[in-house]
Structure formats: structure tokens, C-alpha cells
Amino acid sequence: MNNFYDQHAAAFFASTVNVDMSPLYKEFLPYVPPGGRILDAGCGSGRDAKNFKDQGYVVTAIDASQTLCDLASTHIGQRAHCLPFHEITWQEYFDAVWACASLLHLTADQLPDAVERLVSSLKSSGVMYCSFKWGSQERDKDGRHFIDLNEERFTSFVVSPLKVDVVKLWKTADRRSLREDEFWLNVIIRKR
């Protein structure tokens, strides 16, 4: 997977860095204390980490692609760390986790461990936003793996095995031009 984003980093950066994500920020940020610590897990271009940093939050940005981390570091104005989900070891450190379109590249076997590590990185009652392409299958497309989730599959993979509560779950259209017919599952969960 890293090879795809390392090989296509410049094109991916260009196609995502200016996408207006403000409707999703408006859903997520009210659950984060002012100036709180946010982990941008799978930061990609650094678009969201930069937005959160500009709003006064303390941001840690990670991605599994070193090339994207290099581009994101320049965009954010701080270092993005090359760190895959299975190497996350923070414990009760962040007020919130933002995993926008990043966990969707894991397999069904990898997803529960990754989410558990992200939830463990949250302080008590911390929140996590995550998004997946809407659907009910695992598939490979254009050199990338996807796990598509709907409400039932999210409950099965994430809610049931972990000590989390679903704060909000909703479906949106893709915000990128010419992809309006693709849909996303958006979820905010809270650590118990």
C-alpha cells in the first residue's frame, strides 16, 4: 500500500490538499476542547492537520507513506511522522483522533487492531472521527486495498469489540469534483 502512495504522492497531494472539508470539521471539532491535542492518523497531504493547527489545536500528523509525510510536513509547517497504524503506542494522550479516509486501506484482519490502538491513544471520553467508502465488501482497485463499511459492518468491526460509543454516524457524498456519486460512511465514536 505504501508503494502506491509513495509512487503517486504528488498527484494524490494535488488532488486532495484543497478539498473543502469544512462540513466534516463542523461535525468533529465541537467535541474537541479548545487547544486540545489531535492525532491526524493517515494525514495524507496534511490538509486537515494544517487546518486544525491553524485553529489553535496541537496536532500530531502521521502517515505510512514517507513521501506523503515529506509533502505534508512542508504543507503543515511541522514534521509529519512516518508511522503505520500497527506501530502506534500512545496511551491516553490525545483529546481526539482524526482518521479521514485512512483506515479504509486496511484488511478486515488489520482493522480491529488499528482502531484499538487509536482508541487507546485517546484520553478518557476522547473522540475519534473515521471514514470509509460506503459499502459491504473488501476489494482491490488501482493498486490499493479497500474495506468498504456500512453501519452494520462498522458495528461489527469496531463498536462491538471495543469500549466505544457511537456519537454520530452519517453518510455523505464524496467532496472531490467528479466523484459526487461515491459515498462515505462517517462516524464519530467516544472512548468510554
Side-chain angles (χ1 to χ4, degrees), residues 37-189:
R37 290 182 177 155
I38 299 175
L39 172 63
D40 186 349
C43 67
S45 64
R47 170 198 64 212
D48 305 322
K50 182 177 187 319
N51 181 286
F52 300 147
K53 180 183 171 190
D54 289 349
Q55 293 191 54
Y57 296 97
V58 178
V59 177
T60 300
I62 64 170
D63 200 281
S65 163
Q66 183 61 59
T67 309
L68 276 178
C69 283
D70 293 343
L71 293 170
S73 295
T74 299
H75 184 66
I76 299 166
Q78 72 178 50
R79 182 175 173 219
H81 305 271
C82 188
L83 185 69
F85 292 119
H86 68 271
E87 293 182 10
I88 292 173
T89 58
W90 286 288
Q91 296 288 314
E92 299 186 0
Y93 184 74
F94 298 102
D95 295 291
V97 170
W98 175 265
C100 182
S102 55
L103 293 166
L104 78 172
H105 292 308
L106 300 176
T107 66
D109 290 339
Q110 296 168 325
L111 183 60
D113 176 68
V115 174
E116 184 173 7
R117 288 174 183 272
L118 292 172
V119 170
S120 293
S121 78
L122 289 170
K123 297 175 183 175
S124 178
S125 299
V127 296
M128 176 173 134
Y129 166 83
C130 54
S131 60
F132 299 85
K133 292 207 179 234
W134 183 271
S136 58
Q137 63 179 336
E138 282 196 73
R139 58 192 168 87
D140 293 311
K141 181 181 179 186
D142 300 331
R144 294 181 291 175
H145 180 81
F146 291 89
I147 181 167
D148 300 338
L149 298 183
N150 54 26
E151 184 174 356
E152 293 77 23
R153 283 171 55 88
F154 183 81
T155 298
S156 173
F157 281 108
V158 176
V159 177
S160 295
L162 298 174
K163 294 178 179 176
V164 297
D165 295 315
V166 175
V167 175
K168 184 170 185 173
L169 185 150
W170 71 108
K171 184 178 176 181
T172 56
D174 199 302
R175 300 209 40 91
R176 293 171 290 180
S177 177
L178 305 177
R179 292 193 176 197
E180 294 84 1
D181 60 340
E182 295 179 22
F183 293 93
W184 291 84
L185 172 72
N186 303 274
V187 186
I188 296 173
I189 56 177

